[in-house]
Amino acid sequence: MARLSLLAIAGLLSLCVVPSFAAVTDGKTKYSDIVAWGAGNQFDIVLRVGKIPSGKITDPLQDVRDLSTCTNQNYREGEYSQDACNAPPLKDNSADVIQVIASLADSPASAGLQCQIKGDDFSEDNRTPTKSSTPSKIEARMCYSKVAYTERPWRKKNKPYPSLSLNCPWLVEKVDIDSKNADGEWVMTKFFDDFDEVPSATYFIMVHALTDVDGDSTVCAFSSTEEKSYLLTEVDMGRTAGVIAAATVFSIFSIVFLVVYTVADTIWYNKTGKGLTFGVA
């Protein structure tokens, strides 16, 4: 009976889950569409890592390592080559900081950012209709590189936004389109420890221009550092502060329960000649 119940649950889950994966691309904008519309690769991206010992994200980055031309993504679980990008990798429980600096590339800079979205007649069969839009936000994300998504199909790229989070789940920062500095740059910075359970892997950076369409954010332009620069991380997966605290509490509780139960069982046995049991008539 239990086996049949498990099989029934698995069947229901398959009905719910499989169509959802099959449907994520239907009628959605893909990165390849944005490239075809002339709105791809519009940003120059500088990727840097360093430290901010003060803990204030607005303070200057120290011990800066520029990864803008770092293409060695030689990393596997638990090991990396010494000449790999940002070796040693970023680690948790540190003052490590990721900083992404984006600016308009030379070719479209004079014309401004070209923000294109799907037109009213857009469909799976006709993906060319497009119309201009006004971008409102710029965001930078960490995305799994090829060595990180090989044999892990759920991490693969070119998913439509926002399903792209399957490949680019780690938001560095999102800033207003008008937040450029005097050099015409959008600067996005984040403490590595502020990410939620980033696994050990190799990443590239994706910069998106976002526009609002019917109340939802939609990517209308992008660039990435894939094949140009990478970022390596090495993390004790799952050992967040919450997990450590929960493990500590349950460890203490289990010891206390064991001691209390042993004492109660001994007293009960000496009194009745029977062992202490629960839920037994």
Side-chain angles (χ1 to χ4, degrees):
M1 184 65 181
R3 180 177 176 82
L4 289 175
S5 298
L6 289 173
L7 289 173
I9 292 173
L12 289 173
L13 287 174
S14 67
L15 290 175
C16 296
V17 173
V18 172
S20 68
F21 280 107
V24 292
T25 59
D26 293 343
K28 301 289 187 178
T29 302
K30 301 176 183 178
Y31 289 125
S32 55
D33 294 326
I34 297 175
V35 172
W37 299 339
N41 304 315
Q42 294 192 67
F43 299 101
D44 287 330
I45 303 173
V46 175
L47 172 59
R48 309 196 307 173
V49 296
K51 295 182 181 294
I52 302 181
S54 67
K56 296 180 180 179
I57 199 67
T58 54
D59 285 352
L61 196 63
Q62 300 180 18
D63 301 328
V64 178
R65 288 179 284 168
D66 191 333
L67 307 180
S68 299
T69 58
C70 183
T71 58
N72 186 351
Q73 53 174 317
N74 186 11
Y75 177 85
R76 290 295 178 186
E77 298 288 344
E79 62 183 41
Y80 58 90
S81 83
Q82 291 299 321
D83 60 345
C85 295
N86 69 286
L90 297 186
K91 297 192 176 186
D92 48 347
N93 301 318
S94 68
D96 287 340
V97 173
I98 298 170
Q99 187 172 82
V100 179
I101 303 174
S103 59
L104 285 179
D106 291 338
S107 53
S110 58
L113 182 61
Q114 304 301 305
C115 177
Q116 299 293 320
I117 59 175
K118 63 182 182 180
D120 297 334
D121 297 329
F122 181 89
S123 67
E124 283 299 297
D125 296 328
N126 184 12
R127 307 190 69 88
T128 56
T130 178
K131 56 186 178 182
S132 298
S133 186
T134 302
S136 58
K137 301 283 186 181
I138 301 292
E139 71 173 15
R141 287 181 172 270
M142 290 169 53
C143 307
Y144 292 113
S145 70
K146 185 175 181 179
V147 297
Y149 66 66
T150 299
E151 299 178 356
R152 294 176 175 87
W154 59 90
R155 291 180 174 180
K156 284 188 177 181
K157 63 180 180 177
N158 205 30
K159 302 292 183 182
Y161 193 88
S163 298
L164 59 85
S165 60
L166 297 173
N167 176 241
C168 304
W170 316 112
L171 177 65
V172 177
E173 191 177 4
K174 184 186 295 184
V175 298
D176 289 334
I177 192 72
D178 296 327
S179 65
K180 289 189 295 185
N181 61 21
D183 295 322
E185 300 168 334
W186 293 277
V187 181
M188 291 155 281
T189 310
K190 187 165 185 172
F191 280 107
F192 185 61
D193 272 350
D194 288 346
F195 285 104
D196 183 19
E197 294 190 7
V198 174
S200 298
T202 306
Y203 301 87
F204 64 90
I205 297 297
M206 184 78 80
V207 171
H208 299 125
L210 305 176
T211 185
D212 295 325
V213 178
D214 298 328
D216 295 324
S217 289
T218 298
V219 173
C220 63
F222 77 94
S223 288
S224 83
T225 69
E226 192 171 20
E227 307 299 339
K228 300 174 185 176
S229 60
Y230 293 94
L231 177 74
L232 277 67
T233 66
E234 190 173 72
V235 182
D236 289 330
M237 182 59 181
R239 292 191 62 190
T240 62
V243 171
I244 293 173
T248 301
V249 170
F250 280 107
S251 296
I252 295 173
F253 173 79
S254 63
I255 294 173
V256 172
F257 177 81
L258 180 61
V259 172
V260 171
Y261 178 82
T262 301
V263 173
D265 182 63
T266 301
I267 295 173
W268 183 256
Y269 181 82
N270 291 335
K271 183 177 181 180
T272 65
K274 297 180 180 179
L276 187 62
T277 57
F278 298 97
V280 179

